[in-house]
Amino acid sequence: TRGCRFCSVKTSRTPAALDADEPRRTAEAVAAWGLDYVVVTSVDRDDVADHGAAHIRTTVAELKKANPDLLVEVLSPDLGGDADRVRTVATSGLEVFAHNVETVERLTPRVRDRRAGYRQTMQVLKDAKAAAPHLVTKSSIMLGLGEKDDEIRQTMVDLRDAGCDVVTFGQYLRPTKRHLKVVDYVTPEKFDEWRVEAEALGFLYVASGPLVRSSYPRRAVSFADESRRRRGRRR
């Protein structure tokens, strides 16, 4: 139901109803693939009372029922910024809660749907960590949209203040001519500089490169295991 200007997923004001059998079928498919790590993502569903939070929670439960050893990352929508909905997802049994800030604060109104806010994203990450302190939380930033260096640095600081553990940086690529133009192509060397700066701020893990996407790093298994270790220490 959102229309971000960087994303080519089709938008609908009246999408089809949620498929109640989707969580079970998703779990069956993942089990058949023999995965040890899976990323579950979702479109925004502002038309649903809880924005799909219970549906995502049920999906995680079905995945874990099918394979208790499976590591699960959820790339979550903002759920309308509602803390109870965020808690529903964050306490579903997943290892990694991801929610992308996408860009710097100044560019957010131009890049993202009007219902998605920079500060709202930071609050969602805070609420997820508050609901389940053992969770590894994660966010991603697209570069090449006209952001300035000091704005990227401030975004990293804001993510750390929100308790975000993992950050990824990737190059924005224009999906169609109807979407935002690429302002600049960031060099691999500059991506390396951002990785070094982010690591110095204390992020648990940083992936930074032109072809990096939010669910890119195979190292994800390592920081999902960190989530399980944190959970064990809290018992």
Side-chain angles (χ1 to χ4, degrees):
T1 52
R2 302 276 177 96
C4 295
R5 296 186 65 203
F6 64 88
C7 179
S8 63
V9 174
K10 292 182 179 180
T11 301
S12 174
R13 293 181 180 178
T14 56
L18 297 178
D19 179 359
D21 198 40
E22 184 179 46
R24 180 191 62 80
R25 290 188 290 105
T26 299
E28 287 182 354
V30 171
W33 296 335
L35 302 180
D36 57 7
Y37 190 100
V38 67
V39 180
V40 177
T41 190
S42 170
V43 294
D44 288 282
R45 289 299 300 257
D46 300 275
D47 60 309
V48 178
D50 70 347
H51 289 223
H55 193 77
I56 296 172
R57 184 183 181 93
T58 301
T59 301
V60 175
E62 290 288 340
L63 288 165
K64 292 290 189 175
K65 184 168 70 174
N67 180 5
D69 294 325
L70 181 70
L71 297 169
V72 178
E73 173 182 335
V74 169
L75 177 54
S76 178
D78 63 27
L79 306 168
D82 184 272
D84 288 336
R85 297 171 195 154
V86 173
R87 187 179 304 109
T88 295
V89 175
T91 60
S92 62
L94 75 172
E95 278 73 37
V96 179
F97 180 98
H99 178 55
N100 292 342
V101 67
E102 309 292 8
T103 190
V104 300
E105 187 167 18
R106 175 179 59 86
L107 296 178
T108 294
R110 185 167 68 90
V111 172
R112 301 175 70 186
D113 185 276
R114 60 179 176 77
R115 289 162 289 186
Y118 179 91
R119 291 297 162 186
Q120 179 169 275
T121 287
M122 297 301 170
Q123 190 60 50
V124 165
L125 291 165
K126 287 180 182 179
D127 289 341
K129 183 71 80 174
H134 67 274
L135 278 183
V136 169
T137 51
K138 177 182 172 186
S139 196
S140 297
I141 305 170
M142 298 179 293
L143 303 183
L145 287 162
E147 64 285 334
K148 301 181 186 303
D149 284 5
D150 62 336
E151 294 175 317
I152 298 171
R153 292 188 181 97
Q154 186 59 55
T155 302
M156 289 192 288
V157 169
D158 290 342
L159 286 171
R160 289 298 295 137
D161 287 346
C164 187
D165 300 299
V166 176
V167 66
T168 69
F169 299 90
Q171 172 68 49
Y172 167 67
L173 297 174
R174 190 185 193 189
T176 74
K177 291 182 179 179
R178 299 190 308 273
H179 292 82
L180 290 170
K181 294 181 180 180
V182 176
V183 175
D184 59 321
Y185 289 95
V186 181
T187 66
E189 292 76 17
K190 190 63 176 178
F191 274 106
D192 284 342
E193 291 178 17
W194 289 126
R195 176 184 54 78
V196 171
E197 288 201 34
E199 289 174 345
L201 284 173
F203 284 98
L204 178 67
Y205 178 69
V206 182
S208 183
L211 299 181
V212 168
R213 293 298 176 259
S214 62
S215 302
Y216 171 82
R218 181 63 179 84
R219 176 78 178 276
V221 173
S222 298
F223 57 74
D225 282 335
E226 172 65 17
S227 175
R228 285 187 171 175
R229 286 192 292 271
R230 292 178 181 181
R231 182 184 296 151
R233 288 198 295 268
R234 289 179 60 82
R235 287 175 180 169

